[in-house]
Amino acid sequence: MENITHTIQTVPLNHYILLSAIIFAIGVTGVLIRRNAIVIFMSVELMLNAVNLLLTAFSAYRGDASGQVFVFFVMALAAAEVAVGLAIIVMIYRNTNSIDINVLNRLKW
Amino acid sequence: MSTFYVIAFLSIVFSLLVIFAKNPVHSVLYLILTFFTFTIHYILLNAQFLAVVNFIVYMGAIMVLFLFVMMLLNLNKDTEPGKHYLVKIAGVVAGGCLLVTIVASVKALGKSQPIILENTNLGLVKNLGKVLFGEFLLPFEVSSVLLLSAMLGAVLLAKKEPKTA
């Protein structure tokens, strides 16, 4: 316990913000450049996890447990999103035999 | 101190590999490694409950779900056609612009204080449980409704197919 406390006392909060920003930008890039629907889902998961890490860092910085409770809620949301989203992807694959985003243009008006 | 930077470097490398791997199955495996580095981050921040939940929920449940769907769909044969380089370059430029904006705004804040843990049992189950079931009881119950509706939605989506076919 003492060791862990000693470790993080030398890491500035800015570095956690920068790490989260980099991971979030990687997630955004993944959503933009990939055409496989499942990989796009995984990029969304990356973005959610970047936010989780930042919330935890802020929670430790402020000494307030609310941030870690928010992370718990974000995880519940991600689980629900993955369950419904993957079901939708499986349905789309059954109907069109593809999960390429460029083929899925039936929702356009 | 150096532990954080090594793990941060690893998480950036693995998340880059997630979006640039050709094979979707490799993407899932790299995503598992990325989540493992996040678990180490949580341990370093002394958020032990979140570390365990992250390990169980993400690396256990969600990743198995991803792999299962990927194997079910049998996507290995139709890999992504790497033709539209223009779209890829535009996506990378857009993500880079977002990153530069955030980094510049963080830089404008100036130097920050290091993280100091005043309350070392902040992330323990005992402490978090008190906050979760006291102050955040209503959001907790609402999230249970959310999970129930997600479960119902998934079951309905899966059951509808034989009727229409």
Side-chain angles (χ1 to χ4, degrees):
Chain A
M1 186 74 80
E2 208 48 51
N3 241 341
I4 290 175
T5 315
H6 185 67
T7 301
I8 69 160
Q9 272 182 2
T10 50
V11 179
L13 184 64
N14 265 359
H15 292 187
Y16 274 101
I17 302 178
L18 287 179
L19 173 66
S20 296
I22 291 171
I23 304 274
F24 192 89
I26 290 171
V28 170
T29 313
V31 170
L32 290 177
I33 68 172
R34 294 305 294 256
R35 296 167 58 201
N36 189 332
I38 296 182
V39 180
I40 288 177
F41 251 61
M42 294 196 289
S43 302
V44 174
E45 293 290 319
L46 269 183
M47 287 192 266
L48 286 171
N49 268 280
V51 174
N52 280 353
L53 180 65
L54 195 57
L55 275 174
T56 316
F58 276 131
S59 163
Y61 181 71
R62 300 277 303 173
D64 190 352
S66 305
Q68 303 193 6
V69 176
F70 283 169
V71 172
F72 183 71
F73 289 135
V74 172
M75 282 179 180
L77 180 92
E81 171 234 340
V82 164
V84 177
L86 285 179
I88 291 175
I89 286 178
V90 170
M91 289 302 298
I92 288 172
Y93 181 76
R94 276 193 202 158
N95 284 329
T96 65
N97 269 329
S98 165
I99 55 167
D100 192 336
I101 286 298
N102 288 1
V103 182
L104 305 178
N105 52 8
R106 302 186 174 187
L107 292 180
K108 75 180 177 187
W109 57 288
Chain B
M1 179 172 183
S2 60
T3 317
F4 168 75
Y5 294 105
V6 171
I7 299 300
F9 176 73
L10 281 181
S11 37
I12 291 170
V13 168
F14 285 137
S15 50
L16 277 177
L17 283 171
V18 169
I19 65 168
F20 286 121
K22 286 275 179 215
N23 194 336
V25 177
H26 292 173
S27 283
V28 175
L29 297 178
Y30 285 128
L31 195 63
I32 293 176
L33 286 175
T34 312
F35 285 163
F36 186 64
T37 59
F38 273 95
T39 304
I40 300 173
H41 279 305
Y42 291 148
I43 292 173
L44 284 181
L45 280 169
N46 211 6
Q48 298 168 11
F49 174 68
L50 285 185
V52 172
V53 168
N54 193 56
F55 199 87
I56 295 173
V57 173
Y58 273 111
M59 294 172 63
I62 293 183
M63 287 304 104
V64 167
L65 203 59
F66 270 119
L67 268 182
F68 175 73
V69 170
M70 210 157 273
M71 297 298 175
L72 184 73
L73 300 188
N74 194 15
L75 288 169
N76 287 336
K77 54 186 186 230
D78 50 347
T79 49
E80 294 186 33
K83 277 183 184 173
H84 299 270
Y85 282 117
L86 205 63
V87 176
K88 285 195 174 180
I89 290 170
V92 171
V93 167
C97 285
L98 176 69
L99 179 63
V100 166
T101 310
I102 298 176
V103 168
S105 56
V106 171
K107 285 274 180 198
L109 288 176
K111 224 175 160 211
S112 69
Q113 304 292 320
I115 295 177
I116 296 167
L117 280 184
E118 293 133 4
N119 186 5
T120 43
N121 55 6
L122 181 72
L124 301 189
V125 182
K126 190 177 172 187
N127 193 12
L128 276 185
K130 274 182 190 159
V131 179
L132 184 62
F133 293 113
E135 197 180 343
F136 291 97
L137 185 60
L138 180 66
F140 179 74
E141 300 291 346
V142 172
S143 73
S144 72
V145 176
L146 170 75
L147 283 175
L148 179 69
S149 58
M151 189 179 73
L152 285 180
V155 170
L156 272 181
L157 278 172
K159 273 199 84 164
K160 226 172 185 178
E161 176 66 12
K163 258 185 225 169
T164 53

